[in-house]
């Protein structure tokens, strides 16, 4: 199985595609490969403008089974742009039988009221494009509510916008369930945190072993519960 991720920092944060790969392999027993075209603060309009030839080449010649499409989230772009450029990506996917996945993002911690609009946009977009929907924002809301009193279970990184290691564990779990219909074993509680406590963003860790963190097992169970509820 080959998966291409297109997006921005919400995709590359904490090496989330690699965590997804590991979960998929554990869930299925089959080999998975992940590839990524993700650039900080970029929208799908930018991807299909400035980086069009990279996207085109990768989709048409990469032999991918799935394309995960993640739009700019904070702030949200014009909905018409999201529709236009998602449609162009999906049209490329159709030429090579790659299944598109719409990545539903989460609202900023300080602006939870934006989640309903995100849910509406991406649900309608997935239906329009006959694409799979990864309802990450919906799962995020449920998990955040249940674990709101747990300091060790905050889904947000310290900027209140990007995912923490726990948040990316949720994202990878949701994508794994959507793609395979399965979850990894319950004892898989590994995640990655490539951030450093003494920097606002960059530099990040470059030794992968230093990134590895363990998600509390009871937190993992809550995440698994809502992933199972939202993705059947």
């Amino acid at each position: 199985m080959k998966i291409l991720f297109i997006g921005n920092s919400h995709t590359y944060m904490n090496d989330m595609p690699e965590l997804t790969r590991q979960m998929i392999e554990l869930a299925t027993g089959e080999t998975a490969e992940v590839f990524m075209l993700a650039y900080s603060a970029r929208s799908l309009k930018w991807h299909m403008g400035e980086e069009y030839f990279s996207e085109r080449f990768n989709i048409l010649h990469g032999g991918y089974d799935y394309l995960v499409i993640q739009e700019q989230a904070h702030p949200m772009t014009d909905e018409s742009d999201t529709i236009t450029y998602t449609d162009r990506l999906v049209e490329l996917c159709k030429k090579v039988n790659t299944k598109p996945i719409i990545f539903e993002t989460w609202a900023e911690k300080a602006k939870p009221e934006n989640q309903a609009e995100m849910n509406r946009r991406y649900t309608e977009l997935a239906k329009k494009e006959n694409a799979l929907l990864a309802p990450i924002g919906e799962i995020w809301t449920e998990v955040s509510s249940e674990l709101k009193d747990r300091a060790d279970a905050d889904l947000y990184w310290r900027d209140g916008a990007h995912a923490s290691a726990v948040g990316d564990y949720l994202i990878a779990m949701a994508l794994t369930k959507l793609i395979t219909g399965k979850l990894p074993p319950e004892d898989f509680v590994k995640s990655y945190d490539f951030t450093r406590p003494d920097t606002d963003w960059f530099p990040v860790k470059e030794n992968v072993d230093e990134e590895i963190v363990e998600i509390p097992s009871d937190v993992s169970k809550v995440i698994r519960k809502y992933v199972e509820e939202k993705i059947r």
Side-chain angles (χ1 to χ4, degrees):
M1 181 188 301
K2 292 181 69 175
I3 306 166
L4 175 63
F5 290 77
I6 287 179
N8 56 31
S9 53
H10 295 305
T11 288
Y12 70 62
M13 187 74 176
N14 295 322
D15 298 337
M16 180 274 293
E18 168 59 17
L19 186 63
T20 304
R21 181 195 68 78
Q22 293 178 27
M23 287 190 182
I24 288 173
E25 290 193 346
L26 287 170
T28 65
E30 300 175 4
T31 300
E33 296 179 274
V34 293
F35 302 83
M36 182 178 76
L37 295 170
Y39 306 88
S40 298
R42 299 304 186 182
S43 65
L44 296 181
K45 181 178 181 179
W46 181 87
H47 275 279
M48 294 304 286
E50 295 291 328
E51 286 296 309
Y52 167 75
F53 289 100
S54 293
E55 271 65 5
R56 173 193 173 278
F57 179 85
N58 272 274
I59 295 170
L60 295 182
H61 299 290
Y64 298 105
D65 298 289
Y66 296 93
L67 170 64
V68 180
I69 303 170
Q70 181 255 306
E71 174 64 291
Q72 183 177 329
H74 309 139
M76 289 181 281
T77 62
D78 289 343
E79 185 174 10
S80 60
D81 282 347
T82 298
I83 293 170
T84 295
Y85 296 105
T86 298
D87 188 67
R88 289 183 61 188
L89 285 164
V90 170
E91 287 303 311
L92 289 173
C93 288
K94 288 178 180 177
K95 297 180 187 301
V96 288
N97 296 317
T98 296
K99 187 67 177 177
I101 295 173
I102 304 301
F103 182 120
E104 179 189 86
T105 44
W106 54 93
E108 292 167 275
K109 196 172 190 177
K111 300 177 181 179
E113 65 276 9
N114 288 345
Q115 191 62 57
E117 173 61 14
M118 285 184 172
N119 295 351
R120 181 197 66 78
R121 284 191 185 192
Y122 294 122
T123 298
E124 292 181 2
L125 184 61
K127 289 179 180 178
K128 175 184 180 298
E129 300 293 353
N130 192 29
L132 296 173
L133 174 67
I136 293 161
E138 296 170 49
I139 299 167
W140 190 286
T141 299
E142 299 288 355
V143 173
S144 290
S145 178
E146 181 159 338
L147 298 176
K148 62 181 182 297
D149 297 324
R150 290 282 300 270
D152 61 346
D154 194 344
L155 301 180
Y156 292 92
W157 187 55
R158 58 180 177 266
D159 67 352
H162 290 89
S164 66
V166 181
D168 277 312
Y169 181 84
L170 180 157
I171 296 165
M173 190 75 71
L175 290 170
T176 298
K177 181 63 163 62
L178 182 68
I179 290 169
T180 70
K182 303 175 182 179
L183 293 178
E186 291 186 5
D187 62 357
F188 185 82
V189 290
K190 170 185 174 182
S191 190
Y192 289 116
D193 181 357
F194 70 23
T195 66
R196 296 180 183 274
D198 57 342
T199 62
D200 288 335
W201 185 255
F202 190 81
V204 297
K205 299 169 186 171
E206 294 184 344
N207 184 333
V208 174
D209 290 340
E210 294 178 1
E211 294 182 49
I212 297 172
V213 297
E214 184 172 315
I215 305 300
S217 60
D218 57 335
V219 172
S220 173
K221 287 178 181 177
V222 172
I223 291 171
R224 295 173 70 96
K225 177 180 72 173
Y226 286 110
V227 168
E228 293 271 27
E229 284 185 9
K230 295 292 184 179
I231 304 174
R232 297 184 180 278

